[in-house]
Structures are given as C-alpha cells and as structure tokens.
Amino acid sequence: MHIEEHKSLRDYNTFNIQATARYFCSIGSIQDLKLALQSNIHPDIFILGGGSNMLLTKNIEALVLHINLKGIKIISEDKNSVVLNVMAGENWHEFVQYCINNDYGGVENLSLIPGNVGTAPIQNIGAYGVELKDVFLDCNTLSIENQFEKKFTKEECNFAYRNSIFKDQIKGKYIITSVNFKLTKSDHKKIIDYGSIKDELKKINSHSPSIKEISEAVIRIRESKLPNPKKIGNSGSFFKNPTINNIQFEKFNKKFPKAPFYKLSEFEFKIPAGWLIEKSGFKGQRFGDTGVHKNQALVLVNYGNASGKEILELAEKIQTKVKKDFNILIEPEVNIV
Ligand code: EPU
C-alpha cells in the first residue's frame, strides 16, 4: 500500500478537470483497503471509482481511495443462467464485452457506459430500457467506519431512477468491493423496442438480433450522440430527466404540445431534460472552454482547460433559463464535489 501526496486527479475524472487529492492511494486488494482505512492519515475518506459521474470543483482535502480491485469469477451456473462475481474496479464496458463474448445476456443495452462496476449500483446506471437493477443480485461492501464486511441484497439497495441507498440514506458510509450479477445463458430477454435501437436494428435488417448485435447497435447510437470522454471531457448526462405531476403536465402539454414525455403513472410524467435544454437555446453553445454538446444537450463538456467551477456556473445558468422558460427545475445527475 503506497500513499501519495498532492496527487493530480486530472487522469482520474472523465471531465478532465484539474484538481488534486491531499492524499491518494490506489487499492488493489481488500487487505490494502482495510489498511488504508486504518491508516488515520486524514479524518476524511473520499472514494474514487471510474470518475465518470463527478464534477470536481475544488481540491479534495481527504485520503482519496482509488478502487482498483480486479477480477471476474463464476459463482454458480446452470443451463439457463450464470451468477458472476465482479470486483468493483473492473471497467464497466470491458465487463459488458466479457459477457457478450461468453454469450451471457442482460447487460448488452448498457454497452459503452463509462465508469466502473463498483460505482454502477450507486446511481443504478441505465440506458435503452435496461437498468443495472435488472441484472443485479447483491453486492459486497466494507464499512468505512469499522471495516466490517456487509452484503446488500437487491431489496436493501432501494434502487430507483438514477438512485439507490448508496446515493441517499447511507451515502459515504460503505465501499462497494464487488457486485454479483445474474445473467442469462439461453432465452435471452432482449429489450429492443426502445425507439433508437429499433431504428438501428432495422438498418441491419435483423428481426431476431443476437446480444452481440444489440450491443453493437447501442455502441453505434452512443458514439453518434455522446462525446468520447477520451477526446472531450464529459460526464455523460449532466442532468436527470425531471418528473412533474399531472397538474403541471397538463399546463406544460397545452403550451408545448410537441414536447416528448414519458407517462410514469396517472399522476407523474417525465420530461427529457435534453429537450428542455435544447429549446432553451443552449445546445451546441460554447462558453470559454465549457459547452453544451452539439448532439445531446444533456451533456456538458470540457473542451480543454475548463475548471469545475466554470462547468458548474454553466449548469446553473442552464437551470435558471429552463426554470424561467418552462417552470421546471432540472437537477444534476453527477455528483458535485
Ligand atoms: N432530446 C432533444 N434534444 C437533445 C437530447 C434529447 O430534444 O439534445 C429529446 C430526444 O429527441 C428524445 C428525448 O429527448 O425525444 C429523449 O432522448 P434520448 O432517448 O436520447 O434519451 P435521454 O432522455 O436524453 C437518457 C439517459 C441516458 C441514456 C439514454 C438512452 C438520463 C438522464 N439520461 O437520455 O443516459 O443513455 O436515455 O436510454 O436518464 C447517462 O446517464 O449518462 C446517459 C447518457
């Protein structure tokens, strides 16, 4: 276990923001994790996964633990399904590719999502009609306070749209060390009615696509709409899609009959934040080194040397304008640090 001081975090966050960690330790084993937590070098601990869902607006005055635990193991399997134990530091997309190569079904719609396996449950990552909770069995964690190991079942995780107990009630208290997934080996449940996937599959004329073809379709869609964080710093969707009640919705729908929406229930409607931001005039706009992506207004970008504060200022400007134009509050999906 090696603790570094004043370490630059630029290569550890997909927004590519310059900020430093007072102390930094890369964690390769559960033993290292326990030792680092017991080191008492700093009273505050900051857990860093793939760095794909955070905006650094300042230096981190804490011991930053970069979770680099690796490994994928088969726990059990039968003719129809397999249970995999995947360590938290495995890259999410590499795990998806491992599943596709072994013909394990369930995560193909979640191809190319940035980040690591251990941080995926925190915000219940989702795309194209599938959420992490659909394949999640349970996860192993370590308590920051006393280093006891604790398993969280799916029910205990309280998964909801881009949310879980780890982002809410017990935020910052446990470190996810590995996740157990249940995937299919036959009769894959293919989710292909989501608009853009359907269109993409039509292009290859496939009525009964393989999970590999679904994954490739998702990759093509994402590459056409979302900027590659290796080329332009970004954190995927910066805002969550807001939910409004039926009374608000009626007024909204009357005023903007062409606006897309998803009906969640009789009383709740979700409005795509990307549409609201585009109609507020921000799509493709650049302010210094910050900007709103030209193909997907939900994504804020760092063109080079933007600071976290500058990105946050742009986010607030967008929030204010959307509120003024539509009377809807859009809230960040990324963690502001
Ligand atoms: N839209 C616009 N302008 C835009 C972007 C979107 O008008 O600039 C409209 C689209 O035309 C469409 C609607 O908004 O009618 C929804 O767009 P899309 O299907 O592209 O999905 P989204 O709501 O913008 C969500 C997730 C994405 C996920 C996609 C696909 C959230 C906050 N975002 O985006 O997740 O990939 O659905 O399932 O829920 C992420 O979390 O980082 C992420 C990229």
Side-chain angles (χ1 to χ4, degrees):
M1 190 193 62
H2 172 58
I3 295 181
E4 295 169 71
E5 284 192 63
H6 303 293
K7 167 103 172 165
S8 167
L9 296 174
R10 192 165 195 149
D11 295 339
Y12 293 89
N13 73 99
T14 60
F15 249 128
N16 253 311
I17 301 279
Q18 174 49 31
T20 54
R22 179 66 187 88
Y23 297 103
F24 179 94
C25 183
S26 189
I27 301 294
S29 69
I30 304 279
Q31 183 58 17
D32 270 4
L33 183 55
K34 289 184 180 167
L35 285 174
L37 288 171
Q38 287 159 6
S39 72
N40 283 330
I41 197 163
H42 198 287
D44 296 321
I45 302 287
F46 183 94
I47 306 300
L48 180 62
S52 62
N53 201 41
M54 63 173 194
L55 177 66
L56 292 169
T57 62
K58 54 178 185 300
N59 293 333
I60 304 186
E61 250 320 302
L63 167 61
V64 173
L65 301 181
H66 177 236
I67 306 300
N68 205 17
L69 302 163
K70 300 282 188 191
I72 303 182
K73 266 192 322 234
I74 294 178
I75 298 292
S76 64
E77 65 181 318
D78 59 24
K79 237 176 52 221
N80 305 316
S81 63
V82 60
V83 174
L84 297 178
N85 175 259
V86 188
M87 298 304 285
E90 287 287 342
N91 172 273
W92 176 265
H93 182 61
E94 283 170 22
F95 162 59
V96 171
Q97 283 178 319
Y98 164 91
C99 295
I100 306 288
N101 292 338
N102 286 286
D103 201 30
Y104 299 151
V107 284
E108 55 281 0
N109 293 42
L110 303 177
S111 297
L112 216 61
I113 294 188
N116 287 353
V117 167
T119 40
I122 300 177
Q123 62 148 346
N124 183 25
I125 59 168
Y128 310 106
V130 174
E131 285 184 330
L132 172 115
K133 71 169 172 48
D134 303 329
V135 287
F136 179 97
L137 203 58
D138 51 37
C139 64
N140 299 307
T141 71
L142 201 72
S143 156
I144 292 183
E145 199 185 355
N146 57 23
Q147 291 94 61
F148 285 172
E149 292 177 28
K150 176 170 164 55
K151 201 183 255 306
F152 281 86
T153 64
K154 185 165 161 173
E155 287 66 36
E156 286 170 329
C157 289
N158 281 347
F159 289 124
Y161 168 64
R162 295 295 194 276
N163 205 9
S164 77
I165 193 168
F166 301 107
K167 210 177 163 181
D168 210 5
Q169 296 97 317
I170 55 165
K171 189 174 176 179
K173 292 202 167 12
Y174 292 87
I175 300 167
I176 297 176
T177 52
S178 69
V179 181
N180 292 324
F181 295 95
K182 185 167 185 185
L183 302 161
T184 52
K185 282 174 67 179
S186 59
D187 292 332
H188 300 309
K189 197 167 108 203
K190 297 168 191 164
I191 315 282
I192 51 172
D193 351 305
Y194 195 94
S196 41
I197 292 198
K198 225 193 224 165
D199 298 342
E200 194 60 41
L201 290 170
K202 254 189 223 148
K203 287 187 203 162
I204 58 163
N205 216 353
S206 183
H207 299 293
S208 174
S210 64
I211 56 170
K212 187 163 195 284
E213 283 171 326
I214 297 174
S215 169
E216 285 166 353
V218 168
I219 290 172
R220 282 197 298 276
I221 300 166
R222 290 188 76 95
E223 280 180 340
S224 71
K225 279 195 184 170
L226 299 165
N228 180 346
K230 288 196 181 119
K231 292 184 186 143
I232 304 178
N234 77 90
S235 205
S237 299
F238 191 91
F239 296 100
K240 288 190 275 196
N241 289 330
T243 300
I244 57 177
N245 67 32
N246 52 329
I247 300 160
Q248 283 171 296
F249 177 72
E250 238 170 72
K251 280 191 208 155
F252 174 80
N253 189 240
K254 219 180 226 164
K255 217 165 156 193
F256 308 102
K258 285 197 182 133
F261 63 88
Y262 318 103
K263 187 174 176 174
L264 301 178
S265 73
E266 196 89 8
F267 307 105
E268 285 189 311
F269 294 80
K270 197 179 265 183
I271 313 294
W275 186 89
L276 299 170
I277 297 168
E278 181 171 342
K279 293 296 168 214
S280 293
F282 285 101
K283 192 167 179 171
Q285 292 256 24
R286 181 169 175 166
F287 306 86
D289 259 0
T290 72
V292 177
H293 192 245
K294 62 181 193 313
N295 298 334
Q296 167 54 287
L298 258 185
V299 179
L300 303 191
V301 296
N302 171 11
Y303 284 107
N305 288 313
S307 68
K309 283 212 172 88
E310 286 166 335
I311 304 256
L312 188 60
E313 273 163 28
L314 171 59
E316 285 165 357
K317 196 149 118 184
I318 294 170
Q319 258 177 333
T320 308
K321 181 81 172 22
V322 167
K323 179 84 177 121
K324 183 166 159 266
D325 291 357
F326 300 100
N327 195 27
I328 294 179
L329 177 67
I330 53 169
E331 290 180 284
E333 180 196 277
V334 303
N335 294 308
I336 315 286
V337 179

